[in-house]
Amino acid sequence: MHTDEKILACVDQSRFADYVADYAAWAAQRMNAPLEFLHILSRHPEIATGVDHSGAIGIGAQETLLTELSNQDETRSRDARERGRLFLNRLRERATAAGVPSPDIRQRHGALEETLVEQEDGVRLFVLGRRGTAAETTQRDLGRNVERMVRALHRPILTVTEGFKEPQRVMVAFDGSAATRQGVEMVAASPLFQGLTVHLLMSGKARGDARKQLDWARQRLESAGFDAPAWLIPGDAESVIAQTVIAQDIDLLIMGAYAHSPLRTLLFGSKTTDLLRSARIPTLLMR
């Protein structure tokens, strides 16, 4: 990986932004990478003015009304940019206080998914909240953007939960797939995990080569200098992982994500989404 590849923290103006900032600052320092906070402004905010224009039908009224609405849109856009600037400056100060040198901030108009895909080539790690403004309002336990973002992007994505705790004990949900083998290689090579205990857990349906696959993962991590306890526990993967996270006091979970198509997810559900809901700790997702 190149040293100029940044950590990109995607934030909205919710209370969860502080936790995104804290984990992004932690990752940036451990990886010795530049940190940027990105705030997306909607091009078409659905904001009602509360003013009834239905009676404006006199001579010249249409032109006057269009001018008035245009001025209102410009005022709202200017106010949104200023609120965003103050919000980003506060997060920048928070990251600086945590030890990050010169974090960058940026606002962009547009759609979240399209903007992040455009940025992907220069990004080493995305950090985003598992919930945001919409989820805070509706009390959903998983924000609506998470699956969409993970499916659209190909860089690792750290999805964070409420609160910050510096990770000390990491667990890889390993299944022998290409994604999780790649995850083991990434952990072995990344400074993000140096000095941390990295647990390996293999669960789910029984398979004949499970022990061989798990031994490969453990040996790969141990050869990189990690303490890597490994478990092979049969049973429902979601339940086993959630229970092991609690039993082993795991601070961060690493797993592959959304291996099936959106149509299959619609018909049969998604193990990734289920795990994100049951394992309430920061989770690093890999495609």
Side-chain angles (χ1 to χ4, degrees), residues 125-147:
L125 173 70
F126 288 96
V127 185
L128 57 86
R130 204 170 295 175
R131 299 174 66 197
T133 304
E136 188 173 18
T137 302
T138 61
Q139 297 303 304
R140 286 195 302 266
D141 56 357
L142 191 65
R144 64 187 178 188
N145 288 320
V146 173
E147 179 174 350

Side-chain angles (χ1 to χ4, degrees), residues 88-114:
L88 286 171
N89 278 332
R90 184 180 66 78
L91 293 183
R92 176 163 58 186
E93 291 171 1
R94 187 181 183 98
T96 300
V100 178
S102 304
D104 199 4
I105 58 174
R106 184 159 41 144
Q107 290 195 94
R108 289 278 300 270
H109 281 277
L112 177 61
E113 181 178 342
E114 293 173 2

